[in-house]
Amino acid sequence: MLRFNGLTKKYGKFYALDNFQAELENGIYALLGPNGAGKSTLMNILVGLTAQTSGEILFNGRNTEQMGEEFRAKIGYMPQYPGFYPEFTAMELMRYMADMKCCPRKQRDERCLELLESVNLTEQRDKKIRTFSGGMRQRLGLAQALINKPEILVLDEPTAGLDPKERVRFRNMVRKLSEQMTVIFCTHIVSDIETIAKEVILIHHGKLIQQGSIPMLIEEMQGKVWELIPNADELEKLLEQYPRSSLVSRNMQTVIRIVNDEKPHNDAYACEPVLEDVYLYQFGDDSV
Ligand code: ADP
Ligand code: MG
């Protein structure tokens, strides 16, 4: 079990993390929040790349800083901006990472090949990384994160640069992996995690906003999601008045969907909430 205990990270007077608090067990945890929320900062502290200003992380009750190398050996990390060596081939990168993580030499090549196979890069194993597409790079990023058979897999915005088909593939790979490890999937894209996350941790301005299963988060939105067929002269005003709103198409008609505690308009009707509404409710109003 992993526990973030009052984690705070200050850059000067700015709080990138502000007394962040959460508990994780097995399965896929989505760390969901807009850009700048503090997701990467939290993950950088977890993997030991950044030091917190205060607070601690506990793994099965033990302080991860004190565990040091013993804890790092349990982590697989796919960074948001992987700085892979472009002149390395896929196989060379895997060997390099294996050596960094002190994998036994004897099994090294076998393990590297097995992982490249699992992300479907066997044919490209001797190609230079600089020739790789975004999707191939992300798959290689996943393979290298798995080299030490981690107990905790950290994926920081892993679907950036993937096309819709590659996103689906990536999600399926992660779902499979989560049978064997805890996965922390950082993203600002709801659809990346809505079919796979066991729990969603909402983060904003460095603070924990909400944590729960997807059905639970959606249930709390009952009675807060409305739709309305607007008159042409009302549309602009409604969009301005309700920043937590979006335009959707229903039966060829443009409908305004509004997330709001109270009924926003006489003609509005209540709708079944979805996870996207939770995101809009918590993060939709940029002025907050
Ligand atoms: P996210 O990954 O959720 O997009 P980050 O953790 O990268 O958010 O950033 C959180 C906040 O901390 C942002 O406002 C960002 O500008 C700020 N920040 C991150 N790293 C630094 C740094 N090295 N120096 C100053 N501010 C930083
Ligand atoms: Mg980030």
Side-chain angles (χ1 to χ4, degrees):
M1 194 192 69
L2 203 59
R3 188 190 171 104
F4 298 102
N5 227 350
L7 270 192
T8 295
K9 174 71 183 178
K10 285 172 84 176
Y11 290 110
K13 284 187 179 158
F14 176 77
Y15 284 81
L17 283 178
D18 189 357
N19 195 23
F20 185 88
Q21 205 79 25
E23 258 184 48
L24 289 73
E25 289 172 3
N26 288 332
I28 304 179
Y29 285 79
L31 188 62
L32 183 67
N35 286 325
K39 304 181 292 295
S40 294
T41 304
L42 186 65
M43 292 305 108
N44 287 340
I45 294 170
L46 176 66
V47 305
L49 286 173
T50 309
Q52 65 270 41
T53 309
S54 59
E56 60 177 3
I57 303 174
L58 300 176
F59 178 71
N60 294 333
R62 293 172 65 200
N63 183 300
T64 57
E65 269 177 298
Q66 278 159 20
M67 285 175 76
E69 195 46 51
E70 186 194 345
F71 180 67
R72 278 192 292 279
K74 296 182 191 299
I75 289 216
Y77 174 50
M78 180 173 166
Q80 181 167 9
Y81 305 108
F84 294 148
Y85 302 97
E87 294 304 315
F88 273 22
T89 67
M91 189 62 184
E92 282 167 348
L93 180 86
M94 292 300 290
R95 285 199 186 108
Y96 175 74
M97 293 308 291
D99 290 346
M100 297 264 286
K101 297 264 183 166
C102 305
C103 288
R105 266 284 161 128
K106 261 188 155 172
Q107 300 135 29
R108 189 185 69 170
D109 279 16
E110 196 185 328
R111 175 96 186 124
C112 291
L113 287 169
E114 184 187 295
L115 281 171
L116 286 174
E117 173 67 28
S118 74
V119 297
N120 217 358
L121 283 175
T122 301
E123 271 174 47
Q124 289 85 15
R125 67 174 182 261
D126 296 320
K127 296 226 166 75
K128 290 193 173 182
I129 296 169
R130 72 172 151 80
T131 68
F132 277 20
S133 68
M136 285 156 69
R137 270 170 219 242
Q138 295 305 89
R139 277 184 275 144
L140 181 60
L142 182 61
Q144 63 78 32
L146 295 170
I147 198 99
N148 55 332
K149 302 189 176 154
E151 288 177 41
I152 301 165
L153 177 64
V154 175
L155 306 171
D156 196 351
E157 308 264 357
T159 60
L162 299 190
D163 66 35
K165 212 173 125 198
E166 289 172 322
R167 272 167 200 261
V168 174
R169 246 190 72 100
F170 193 89
R171 279 204 288 275
N172 289 336
M173 275 193 289
V174 172
R175 195 203 312 265
K176 237 183 175 167
L177 286 166
S178 70
E179 291 164 9
Q180 298 148 46
M181 58 193 82
T182 299
V183 179
I184 307 179
F185 193 131
C186 303
T187 188
H188 63 277
I189 301 161
V190 170
S191 60
D192 271 355
I193 48 95
E194 87 182 320
T195 55
I196 56 171
K198 179 173 98 172
E199 279 194 22
V200 181
I201 297 169
L202 297 159
I203 179 174
H204 199 18
H205 300 309
K207 290 194 186 80
L208 172 77
I209 301 296
Q210 219 180 357
Q211 174 172 357
S213 69
I214 292 174
M216 190 210 100
L217 293 173
I218 290 177
E219 186 54 34
E220 287 191 7
M221 292 302 295
Q222 289 289 355
K224 295 190 171 89
V225 184
W226 313 87
E227 285 187 2
L228 168 69
I229 302 163
N231 299 330
D233 55 326
E234 284 177 328
L235 181 61
E236 286 303 319
K237 206 177 121 224
L238 283 166
L239 286 173
E240 201 170 294
Q241 192 179 352
Y242 297 101
R244 295 175 173 91
S245 62
S246 57
L247 292 177
V248 290
S249 183
R250 298 268 180 262
N251 304 324
M252 314 272 286
Q253 209 164 26
T254 298
V255 167
I256 178 167
R257 187 175 177 98
I258 297 173
V259 180
N260 197 55
D261 286 320
E262 287 96 42
K263 188 171 175 171
H265 189 285
N266 265 342
D267 300 336
Y269 44 92
C271 297
E272 265 315 297
V274 295
L275 191 59
E276 193 75 46
D277 297 317
V278 177
Y279 188 98
L280 217 55
Y281 187 69
Q282 297 295 357
F283 310 131
D285 189 351
D286 292 332
S287 63
V288 177

